[in-house]
Amino acid sequence: MKLLFAEDTQDLNHAVTTVLEYQGYDVTSVFDGQEALDALKKESYDVVVLDIMMPQVDGITVLKTMREHAILTPVLLTAKSEVDDRVAGLDAGADDYLAKPFSMKELAARIRSMVRRSQYESETDLQKGNVTLHANDYSLSAANSVRLSHKEFELMRTLMMHEFMNTQYLLEQVWPDEPAQEDTVKLYLSYLKRKLASIGADIEIAAEGGRIFIREESDG
């Protein structure tokens, strides 16, 4: 489980990172909002924890930028218990808010809860461009529609939920307990590309510099 943790207080950053790694999370820790944005451009995460008061770029601005770029990764905001901060964060699209000072047990419980909720997101329809991914019947629709296999659905859902990812991330998300390889990902991506073309989609699956992502026609 990949987690991005952004906190500018160095001692707290190191302590939380150490505990989360001990609990089995693959943690990328950064110390300001710009570093968080840079990390999000390079990699996809399962959960993002952002402190609101950070140098360079504050946590709420990072969150707004994520949502503007359709990065739907669950976000937990941390800050001193100010009502205005909490309201602003939730309005910006935060999934949860944890007031400082917090206990590690509470932080870990909130993260586990967010992970559980994200696992149910497959029950929700997703849309990108003119394409809708329907959870109730595993179909993909635009000008017309086509049914997907379970793996095609899980792969398409992962692609639509994250801005950028690589082959290893897709293997971990879609084939976590199976002996799948890079060629498996390429094969299923080719299936989805053909199905997107068949329904008149205005989006396409693209790959550049080792990153896999969905490109919309408006992106050029």
Side-chain angles (χ1 to χ4, degrees), residues 27-162:
V27 182
T28 298
S29 60
V30 297
F31 296 92
D32 63 58
Q34 186 57 56
E35 287 184 350
L37 288 172
D38 292 342
L40 288 161
K41 290 177 183 178
K42 298 174 183 176
E43 189 60 84
S44 293
Y45 297 91
D46 298 294
V47 174
V48 175
V49 180
L50 299 171
D51 184 39
I52 289 181
M53 297 299 292
M54 291 189 293
Q56 303 295 327
V57 181
D58 65 84
I60 290 179
T61 300
V62 173
L63 173 58
K64 288 180 178 179
T65 303
M66 290 175 62
R67 298 310 188 227
E68 287 169 0
H69 288 82
I71 302 175
L72 305 179
T73 307
V75 172
L76 171 65
L77 288 177
T78 65
K80 293 180 179 178
S81 186
E82 299 289 342
V83 173
D84 288 346
D85 284 345
R86 185 176 305 184
V87 171
L90 294 174
D91 284 346
D95 297 87
D96 204 350
Y97 183 100
L98 183 60
K100 289 181 173 180
F102 52 78
S103 71
M104 279 306 308
K105 285 185 177 180
E106 184 175 9
L107 174 62
R110 296 289 187 95
I111 291 172
R112 288 195 299 271
S113 176
M114 292 172 67
V115 169
R116 286 195 298 270
R117 290 202 301 267
S118 70
Q119 290 172 343
Y120 292 114
E121 287 184 357
S122 61
E123 298 176 4
T124 303
D125 292 350
L126 297 175
Q127 183 157 4
K128 204 166 188 70
N130 71 339
V131 174
T132 302
L133 181 66
H134 302 275
N136 63 330
D137 62 356
Y138 280 23
S139 67
L140 201 59
S141 67
N144 46 65
S145 64
V146 64
R147 292 289 295 272
L148 303 179
S149 69
H150 175 69
K151 289 301 182 185
E152 287 173 336
F153 175 86
E154 291 296 324
L155 179 56
M156 191 67 200
R157 182 175 71 90
T158 303
L159 290 167
M160 294 178 78
M161 287 178 61
H162 301 284

